[in-house]
Amino acid sequence: MSKLNCQIFDSMGDTELKKYLHSKLKSCKIRVISNELSLKTIDSKAEVLGVFVDSEVDKKVLDKMPKLKLIATMSTGYDHIDLEECKKRNITVCNVPNYGENTVAEHTMALILSLSRKIYPSIKRVKEGHYDFVGLRGFDLKGKAIGIVGTGSIGIHLITMLKCFETKVIAYDVKPNKATAKKYGFTYVSFDKLLSRSDIISFHVPLFPSTHHMINKKNIKKIKKGAYLINTARGGLIEAEALAKGLKSGQIAGAGLDVLEEEELLQNPKKILYTEKKDRDGLLKTNQMNKFIVDHPNTIITPHNAFNSTEALKRIIDITAENIIAYSKGRVQNIVN
Ligand code: NAD
């Protein structure tokens, strides 16, 4: 039996990770590119494509890969892949569910505590040679209402942690699970009630057309004045312009974000030039809003890094390798399309 021809784009560029991938996929012919996907580096003969979330797999990419049978994304989310186009071409797409529920929840908790105790400006103050606490007063989490949007794997892990801080947790999910709510001690409410009652709102839903701009220019006014927003799910859930306006007016006291709408433009603004002309003005505006959000004194932003722990990466590689090997044996698993 001939070996499956796999091309993997590993934007981590990590030598250890590369070695580990090779050791796990000995039964395949694999080529690892230590970068995100680009049209120039695509292998048109590859049957399997492995990518992280920063590699967009669109029609142009698929056109260059006529032999492609399987896309194994090394992530839970798959909004960077054109699933419709894959379906038309009979390409199977699989993901890595549940590799990082504790990992992402821990990062979310770190963002919440950093905001509540002003950790970033406190550290900065001391590193800059000052040793006073003027203007660095934080607030207790104990007794605060925390609104969790999405009670899947990550949301529930976060709720478990938040309960230890004696917070009151309320939640919204399109599929509420009463037994889970009872078990973990929280209450489901409508989305509007969650917005108006929470002192801190944290997002843990996938990016779908139904969740795109869940927070927007219209409903941001429904949020309790002075609340904090946390987003470690996907940038597109919160409209950048709405958040920028909310921060400016003081409606939103601050934000802890691991993701931003169109975040890739912060790293590579030239991408705007390669997008269709009709979409450019919108992207330019979003990019400007992102810069305002990043520079705002009450925000802390991390570079889509919530998944990035040694243990989580090992789990990602293990499950991705299992997905590819299962496919090579005619058994498909973790399919999303
Ligand atoms: P999950 O599938 O276990 O849970 C998602 C929850 O969202 C489910 O309970 C589902 O019912 C709910 N949901 C779906 N559509 C909804 C809607 N329209 N309104 C309200 N609720 C809705 O997913 P998870 O493992 O908890 O991950 C959540 C998201 O976190 C992922 O989709 C991914 O985008 C993101 N993520 C980010 C990172 C990172 O590094 N920042 C890492 C992993 C995952």
Side-chain angles (χ1 to χ4, degrees):
M1 203 172 74
S2 67
K3 287 184 168 186
L4 262 185
N5 187 349
C6 309
Q7 188 177 31
I8 297 184
F9 288 89
D10 161 26
S11 45
M12 299 266 150
D14 185 314
T15 324
E16 283 306 307
L17 200 70
K18 197 171 172 175
K19 268 196 216 158
Y20 191 56
L21 257 168
H22 276 281
S23 73
K24 285 272 155 182
L25 285 168
K26 279 189 187 133
S27 58
C28 302
K29 185 180 158 208
I30 91 160
R31 192 170 148 230
V32 181
I33 310 281
S34 297
N35 219 326
E36 61 184 74
L37 186 151
S38 79
L39 288 176
K40 281 185 204 146
T41 46
I42 281 176
D43 175 2
S44 60
K45 293 196 189 89
E47 298 162 285
V48 177
L49 172 67
V51 285
F52 281 111
V53 286
D54 51 4
S55 289
E56 203 177 327
V57 185
D58 57 13
K59 194 170 175 299
K60 278 187 209 150
V61 170
L62 298 175
D63 283 344
K64 286 203 79 176
M65 304 190 85
K67 295 193 182 305
L68 196 63
K69 297 176 194 161
L70 176 72
I71 300 173
T73 186
M74 295 182 277
S75 57
T76 305
Y78 39 85
D79 46 277
H80 52 298
I81 300 169
D82 187 337
L83 291 187
E84 280 295 306
E85 205 51 47
C86 289
K87 206 170 190 181
K88 277 188 212 157
R89 298 169 194 233
N90 250 337
I91 298 169
T92 304
V93 181
C94 56
N95 75 338
V96 185
N98 306 339
Y99 72 85
E101 51 265 66
N102 70 296
T103 311
V104 179
E106 284 171 23
H107 192 92
T108 310
M109 203 61 232
L111 291 178
I112 293 173
L113 286 167
S114 297
L115 283 171
S116 69
R117 303 315 304 264
K118 294 198 190 296
I119 299 296
Y120 175 70
S122 299
I123 293 171
K124 197 163 169 265
R125 177 84 52 95
V126 177
K127 291 231 185 242
E128 284 171 355
H130 307 286
Y131 205 83
D132 68 274
F133 47 70
V134 176
L136 295 177
R137 183 170 305 149
F139 62 89
D140 285 356
L141 289 182
K142 183 176 174 178
K144 295 289 182 303
I146 319 284
I148 302 296
V149 182
T151 52
S153 312
I154 296 170
I156 290 295
H157 264 75
L158 181 64
I159 290 172
T160 313
M161 293 176 194
L162 285 165
K163 295 299 284 184
C164 299
F165 286 86
E166 298 179 58
T167 60
K168 289 181 229 153
V169 178
I170 52 176
Y172 168 71
D173 196 293
V174 76
K175 288 185 192 153
N177 181 330
K178 279 192 182 155
T180 305
K182 197 170 172 211
K183 182 172 173 195
Y184 293 97
F186 67 90
T187 321
Y188 281 109
V189 293
S190 68
F191 189 51
D192 278 1
K193 275 193 181 144
L194 183 140
L195 297 186
S196 65
R197 291 182 185 173
S198 305
D199 298 300
I200 299 174
I201 303 171
S202 192
F203 287 85
H204 304 285
V205 290
L207 180 61
F208 291 147
S210 61
T211 56
H212 181 249
H213 287 181
M214 264 185 122
I215 295 297
N216 51 54
K217 289 196 282 295
K218 273 188 199 154
N219 69 6
I220 197 149
K221 294 182 196 111
K222 294 183 178 174
I223 294 177
K224 182 174 178 178
K225 193 165 167 56
Y228 287 79
L229 292 189
I230 310 291
N231 188 4
T232 55
R234 283 293 180 269
L237 301 176
I238 300 180
E239 186 181 12
E241 192 183 348
L243 177 55
K245 283 191 172 158
L247 286 164
K248 224 181 237 175
S249 71
Q251 178 84 28
I252 305 298
L257 311 168
D258 186 49
V259 287
L260 285 155
E261 188 177 15
E262 309 293 353
E263 63 203 16
E264 63 283 0
L265 297 177
L266 287 171
Q267 170 81 350
N268 186 3
K270 279 192 184 153
K271 276 197 174 165
I272 294 178
L273 299 174
Y274 309 123
T275 51
E276 289 196 29
K277 222 173 167 189
K278 65 176 175 38
D279 299 327
R280 279 187 208 160
D281 287 349
L283 286 179
L284 274 170
K285 184 155 198 191
T286 303
N287 205 31
Q288 270 172 2
M289 295 297 142
N290 281 345
K291 284 185 182 152
F292 173 86
I293 294 167
V294 171
D295 290 340
H296 196 280
N298 296 349
T299 62
I300 42 170
I301 322 289
T302 51
H304 203 145
N305 196 37
F307 74 101
N308 194 7
S309 77
T310 306
E311 295 80 1
L313 271 170
K314 187 175 174 298
R315 289 193 289 271
I316 289 174
I317 303 297
D318 287 343
I319 300 167
T320 301
E322 280 170 22
N323 286 346
I324 295 172
I325 290 164
Y327 181 86
S328 73
K329 292 182 176 163
R331 296 191 314 264
V332 273
Q333 62 179 40
N334 296 325
I335 299 178
V336 297
N337 67 335

mmCIF file of all heavy atoms in Angstrom, residues 32-54:
data_model
loop_
_atom_site.group_PDB
_atom_site.id
_atom_site.type_symbol
_atom_site.label_atom_id
_atom_site.label_comp_id
_atom_site.label_asym_id
_atom_site.label_seq_id
_atom_site.Cartn_x
_atom_site.Cartn_y
_atom_site.Cartn_z
ATOM 1 N N VAL A 32 6.933 18.827 6.407
ATOM 2 C CA VAL A 32 6.489 19.888 7.326
ATOM 3 C C VAL A 32 7.115 21.212 6.900
ATOM 4 O O VAL A 32 8.331 21.313 6.722
ATOM 5 C CB VAL A 32 6.898 19.566 8.786
ATOM 6 C CG1 VAL A 32 6.410 20.654 9.736
ATOM 7 C CG2 VAL A 32 6.353 18.204 9.217
ATOM 8 N N ILE A 33 6.265 22.215 6.664
ATOM 9 C CA ILE A 33 6.762 23.554 6.328
ATOM 10 C C ILE A 33 6.640 24.387 7.603
ATOM 11 O O ILE A 33 5.549 24.506 8.165
ATOM 12 C CB ILE A 33 5.889 24.220 5.226
ATOM 13 C CG1 ILE A 33 5.696 23.291 4.031
ATOM 14 C CG2 ILE A 33 6.423 25.592 4.836
ATOM 15 C CD1 ILE A 33 6.824 23.200 3.078
ATOM 16 N N SER A 34 7.761 24.979 8.043
ATOM 17 C CA SER A 34 7.734 25.728 9.311
ATOM 18 C C SER A 34 7.223 27.143 9.086
ATOM 19 O O SER A 34 7.924 28.123 9.318
ATOM 20 C CB SER A 34 9.125 25.764 9.924
ATOM 21 O OG SER A 34 9.517 24.454 10.219
ATOM 22 N N ASN A 35 6.018 27.244 8.625
ATOM 23 C CA ASN A 35 5.410 28.552 8.360
ATOM 24 C C ASN A 35 3.923 28.362 8.144
ATOM 25 O O ASN A 35 3.461 27.224 7.995
ATOM 26 C CB ASN A 35 6.021 29.154 7.090
ATOM 27 C CG ASN A 35 6.217 30.652 7.243
ATOM 28 O OD1 ASN A 35 5.407 31.317 7.907
ATOM 29 N ND2 ASN A 35 7.275 31.169 6.661
ATOM 30 N N GLU A 36 3.171 29.491 8.075
ATOM 31 C CA GLU A 36 1.758 29.337 7.727
ATOM 32 C C GLU A 36 1.630 29.072 6.230
ATOM 33 O O GLU A 36 2.580 29.299 5.473
ATOM 34 C CB GLU A 36 0.956 30.572 8.156
ATOM 35 C CG GLU A 36 1.399 31.848 7.489
ATOM 36 C CD GLU A 36 0.641 33.067 8.001
ATOM 37 O OE1 GLU A 36 0.907 33.496 9.117
ATOM 38 O OE2 GLU A 36 -0.193 33.584 7.238
ATOM 39 N N LEU A 37 0.468 28.583 5.826
ATOM 40 C CA LEU A 37 0.262 28.197 4.433
ATOM 41 C C LEU A 37 0.384 29.403 3.499
ATOM 42 O O LEU A 37 -0.099 30.491 3.802
ATOM 43 C CB LEU A 37 -1.143 27.579 4.323
ATOM 44 C CG LEU A 37 -1.590 26.967 3.016
ATOM 45 C CD1 LEU A 37 -2.598 25.854 3.302
ATOM 46 C CD2 LEU A 37 -2.227 27.970 2.091
ATOM 47 N N SER A 38 1.050 29.202 2.355
ATOM 48 C CA SER A 38 1.043 30.252 1.322
ATOM 49 C C SER A 38 0.900 29.548 -0.022
ATOM 50 O O SER A 38 1.317 28.390 -0.168
ATOM 51 C CB SER A 38 2.327 31.069 1.374
ATOM 52 O OG SER A 38 3.357 30.356 0.736
ATOM 53 N N LEU A 39 0.327 30.244 -0.990
ATOM 54 C CA LEU A 39 0.090 29.609 -2.301
ATOM 55 C C LEU A 39 1.404 29.136 -2.919
ATOM 56 O O LEU A 39 1.449 28.125 -3.613
ATOM 57 C CB LEU A 39 -0.623 30.582 -3.233
ATOM 58 C CG LEU A 39 -2.099 30.860 -2.907
ATOM 59 C CD1 LEU A 39 -2.674 31.912 -3.833
ATOM 60 C CD2 LEU A 39 -2.948 29.587 -2.975
ATOM 61 N N LYS A 40 2.493 29.864 -2.611
ATOM 62 C CA LYS A 40 3.797 29.545 -3.215
ATOM 63 C C LYS A 40 4.361 28.217 -2.716
ATOM 64 O O LYS A 40 5.078 27.532 -3.438
ATOM 65 C CB LYS A 40 4.805 30.648 -2.875
ATOM 66 C CG LYS A 40 4.662 31.877 -3.732
ATOM 67 C CD LYS A 40 5.785 32.842 -3.379
ATOM 68 C CE LYS A 40 5.336 34.258 -3.749
ATOM 69 N NZ LYS A 40 5.857 35.258 -2.835
ATOM 70 N N THR A 41 4.050 27.853 -1.454
ATOM 71 C CA THR A 41 4.707 26.663 -0.874
ATOM 72 C C THR A 41 3.822 25.410 -0.901
ATOM 73 O O THR A 41 4.229 24.359 -0.403
ATOM 74 C CB THR A 41 5.151 26.945 0.579
ATOM 75 O OG1 THR A 41 4.076 27.591 1.266
ATOM 76 C CG2 THR A 41 6.375 27.813 0.624
ATOM 77 N N ILE A 42 2.638 25.531 -1.494
ATOM 78 C CA ILE A 42 1.736 24.373 -1.539
ATOM 79 C C ILE A 42 2.312 23.267 -2.428
ATOM 80 O O ILE A 42 2.853 23.543 -3.506
ATOM 81 C CB ILE A 42 0.350 24.815 -2.094
ATOM 82 C CG1 ILE A 42 -0.438 25.494 -0.981
ATOM 83 C CG2 ILE A 42 -0.421 23.645 -2.680
ATOM 84 C CD1 ILE A 42 -1.761 26.050 -1.436
ATOM 85 N N ASP A 43 2.166 22.021 -1.950
ATOM 86 C CA ASP A 43 2.575 20.869 -2.755
ATOM 87 C C ASP A 43 1.316 20.350 -3.468
ATOM 88 O O ASP A 43 0.408 19.818 -2.824
ATOM 89 C CB ASP A 43 3.160 19.801 -1.812
ATOM 90 C CG ASP A 43 3.491 18.512 -2.545
ATOM 91 O OD1 ASP A 43 3.302 18.455 -3.782
ATOM 92 O OD2 ASP A 43 3.931 17.554 -1.863
ATOM 93 N N SER A 44 1.294 20.504 -4.785
ATOM 94 C CA SER A 44 0.070 20.152 -5.531
ATOM 95 C C SER A 44 -0.205 18.641 -5.509
ATOM 96 O O SER A 44 -1.284 18.191 -5.891
ATOM 97 C CB SER A 44 0.154 20.660 -6.967
ATOM 98 O OG SER A 44 1.272 20.059 -7.562
ATOM 99 N N LYS A 45 0.794 17.846 -5.055
ATOM 100 C CA LYS A 45 0.592 16.387 -5.037
ATOM 101 C C LYS A 45 0.069 15.901 -3.680
ATOM 102 O O LYS A 45 -0.268 14.725 -3.519
ATOM 103 C CB LYS A 45 1.909 15.672 -5.322
ATOM 104 C CG LYS A 45 2.399 15.903 -6.740
ATOM 105 C CD LYS A 45 3.472 14.871 -7.084
ATOM 106 C CE LYS A 45 4.134 15.184 -8.388
ATOM 107 N NZ LYS A 45 5.311 16.084 -8.241
ATOM 108 N N ALA A 46 -0.004 16.811 -2.689
ATOM 109 C CA ALA A 46 -0.395 16.376 -1.335
ATOM 110 C C ALA A 46 -1.836 15.865 -1.297
ATOM 111 O O ALA A 46 -2.735 16.434 -1.912
ATOM 112 C CB ALA A 46 -0.218 17.523 -0.355
ATOM 113 N N GLU A 47 -2.022 14.758 -0.545
ATOM 114 C CA GLU A 47 -3.373 14.181 -0.372
ATOM 115 C C GLU A 47 -3.968 14.592 0.972
ATOM 116 O O GLU A 47 -5.170 14.549 1.190
ATOM 117 C CB GLU A 47 -3.285 12.652 -0.414
ATOM 118 C CG GLU A 47 -2.771 12.126 -1.746
ATOM 119 C CD GLU A 47 -2.275 10.689 -1.598
ATOM 120 O OE1 GLU A 47 -1.181 10.474 -1.033
ATOM 121 O OE2 GLU A 47 -3.009 9.792 -2.023
ATOM 122 N N VAL A 48 -3.058 14.944 1.911
ATOM 123 C CA VAL A 48 -3.495 15.364 3.242
ATOM 124 C C VAL A 48 -2.844 16.709 3.547
ATOM 125 O O VAL A 48 -1.659 16.909 3.282
ATOM 126 C CB VAL A 48 -3.057 14.337 4.324
ATOM 127 C CG1 VAL A 48 -3.443 14.820 5.717
ATOM 128 C CG2 VAL A 48 -3.667 12.970 4.049
ATOM 129 N N LEU A 49 -3.653 17.624 4.095
ATOM 130 C CA LEU A 49 -3.132 18.937 4.459
ATOM 131 C C LEU A 49 -3.345 19.147 5.957
ATOM 132 O O LEU A 49 -4.455 18.967 6.468
ATOM 133 C CB LEU A 49 -3.886 20.013 3.663
ATOM 134 C CG LEU A 49 -3.638 21.478 4.018
ATOM 135 C CD1 LEU A 49 -2.202 21.884 3.655
ATOM 136 C CD2 LEU A 49 -4.623 22.386 3.272
ATOM 137 N N GLY A 50 -2.265 19.523 6.662
ATOM 138 C CA GLY A 50 -2.386 19.833 8.096
ATOM 139 C C GLY A 50 -2.126 21.318 8.302
ATOM 140 O O GLY A 50 -1.154 21.852 7.761
ATOM 141 N N VAL A 51 -2.999 21.996 9.044
ATOM 142 C CA VAL A 51 -2.833 23.450 9.250
ATOM 143 C C VAL A 51 -3.226 23.859 10.669
ATOM 144 O O VAL A 51 -4.035 23.195 11.311
ATOM 145 C CB VAL A 51 -3.722 24.285 8.275
ATOM 146 C CG1 VAL A 51 -3.180 24.293 6.869
ATOM 147 C CG2 VAL A 51 -5.183 23.830 8.311
ATOM 148 N N PHE A 52 -2.665 24.981 11.127
ATOM 149 C CA PHE A 52 -3.156 25.648 12.334
ATOM 150 C C PHE A 52 -4.177 26.707 11.891
ATOM 151 O O PHE A 52 -4.356 26.938 10.684
ATOM 152 C CB PHE A 52 -1.998 26.304 13.103
ATOM 153 C CG PHE A 52 -1.185 25.342 13.925
ATOM 154 C CD1 PHE A 52 0.125 25.039 13.586
ATOM 155 C CD2 PHE A 52 -1.732 24.741 15.044
ATOM 156 C CE1 PHE A 52 0.876 24.146 14.347
ATOM 157 C CE2 PHE A 52 -0.987 23.848 15.815
ATOM 158 C CZ PHE A 52 0.308 23.549 15.455
ATOM 159 N N VAL A 53 -4.772 27.418 12.872
ATOM 160 C CA VAL A 53 -5.852 28.362 12.533
ATOM 161 C C VAL A 53 -5.385 29.574 11.732
ATOM 162 O O VAL A 53 -6.207 30.267 11.127
ATOM 163 C CB VAL A 53 -6.585 28.894 13.791
ATOM 164 C CG1 VAL A 53 -7.480 27.867 14.402
ATOM 165 C CG2 VAL A 53 -5.619 29.434 14.828
ATOM 166 N N ASP A 54 -4.073 29.837 11.725
ATOM 167 C CA ASP A 54 -3.612 31.016 10.983
ATOM 168 C C ASP A 54 -3.439 30.743 9.489
ATOM 169 O O ASP A 54 -3.051 31.621 8.728
ATOM 170 C CB ASP A 54 -2.306 31.560 11.587
ATOM 171 C CG ASP A 54 -1.252 30.473 11.745
ATOM 172 O OD1 ASP A 54 -1.505 29.327 11.324
ATOM 173 O OD2 ASP A 54 -0.180 30.763 12.287
#
